[in-house]
């Protein structure tokens, strides 16, 4: 006699995941509550980098989350947009990013932006990973962001954060969940970029190749969540090496 195989409903599987996350969060709070306070302090202190040269040769729009604001850097000039400005002092740079923004919020940032940019740089995704945005919701939101960004600028670059699961801020089992969600995020962003003719800059690396693991103290900010000034320098090198600024000239 054959017995029917009982499968666990999707809602039950999701509940198991949430319980694991909640358990990890409690462990995190017990082990390092100071990281959360430090992250909040860094966010309050961060100021997005902008540049308004007298006769700009290029116009750049930056949108996204705290990594676009530059949270964790010692100064706005040390952020990723700030490093663009240092290397290209004749570029006009507007920055509408905000701490805590998810892709849905990035769409709102783009809604209020003007058009006519040479480059729209989207630095987002970490909050969708951490705050468990459903993947079937996330994809259309990313598609909407790309559509809006292409209405605002000639070139669109999507640069989601690296592997959140490698951040010292998180410990198992939360870090394991963050790792897999980071991989899912990058898979979606890569596919959307390919189908929508946008550029994708990959910061996701396996643990043994991730400089944020090998050089953790140098590249991570004091909260163990955001890049430090040196971390943003590493991201900027990846942006340039992967052609994120290609075609813009001086």
């Amino acid at each position: 006699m054959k017995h029917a195989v009982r499968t666990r409903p999707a809602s039950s599987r999701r509940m198991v995941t949430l319980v694991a996350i909640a358990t990890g969060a409690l462990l995190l709070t017990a082990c390092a509550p100071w990281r959360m306070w430090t992250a909040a302090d860094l966010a309050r202190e961060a100021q997005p980098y902008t540049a308004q040269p007298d006769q700009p040769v290029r116009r750049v729009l930056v949108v996204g989350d705290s990594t676009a604001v530059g949270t964790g850097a010692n100064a706005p000039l040390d952020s990723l947009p700030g490093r663009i400005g240092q290397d290209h002092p004749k570029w006009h740079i507007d920055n509408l990013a905000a701490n805590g923004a998810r892709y849905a919020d990035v769409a709102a940032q783009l809604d209020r932006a003007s058009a006519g940019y040479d480059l729209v740089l989207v630095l987002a995704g970490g909050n969708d990973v951490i705050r468990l945005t459903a993947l079937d919701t996330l994809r259309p939101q990313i598609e909407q962001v790309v559509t809006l960004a292409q209405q605002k600028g000639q070139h669109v670059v999507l640069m989601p954060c690296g592997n959140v699961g490698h951040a010292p801020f998180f410990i198992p089992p939360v870090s394991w969940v963050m790792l897999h969600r980071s991989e899912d995020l990058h898979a979606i962003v890569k596919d959307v970029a390919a189908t929508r003719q946008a550029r994708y800059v990959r910061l996701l690396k396996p643990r043994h190749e991730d400089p944020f693991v090998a050089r953790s103290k140098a590249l991570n900010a004091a909260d163990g969540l955001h890049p430090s000034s040196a971390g943003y320098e590493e991201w900027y090198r990846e942006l340039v090496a992967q052609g994120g600024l290609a075609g813009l000239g001086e």
Side-chain angles (χ1 to χ4, degrees), residues 4 56 64 72 75-76 87 107 122 152 181 194 247:
D87 277 0
V122 182
K152 307 297 182 177
R181 286 188 56 82

Side-chain angles (χ1 to χ4, degrees), residues 122-146:
V122 182
L123 294 159
N127 290 305
D128 290 288
V129 169
I130 295 169
R131 293 159 65 183
L132 305 179
T133 302
L135 298 181
D136 58 354
T137 300
L138 183 57
R139 183 183 182 94
Q141 290 175 344
I142 295 173
E143 290 174 338
Q144 181 187 20
V145 164
V146 173

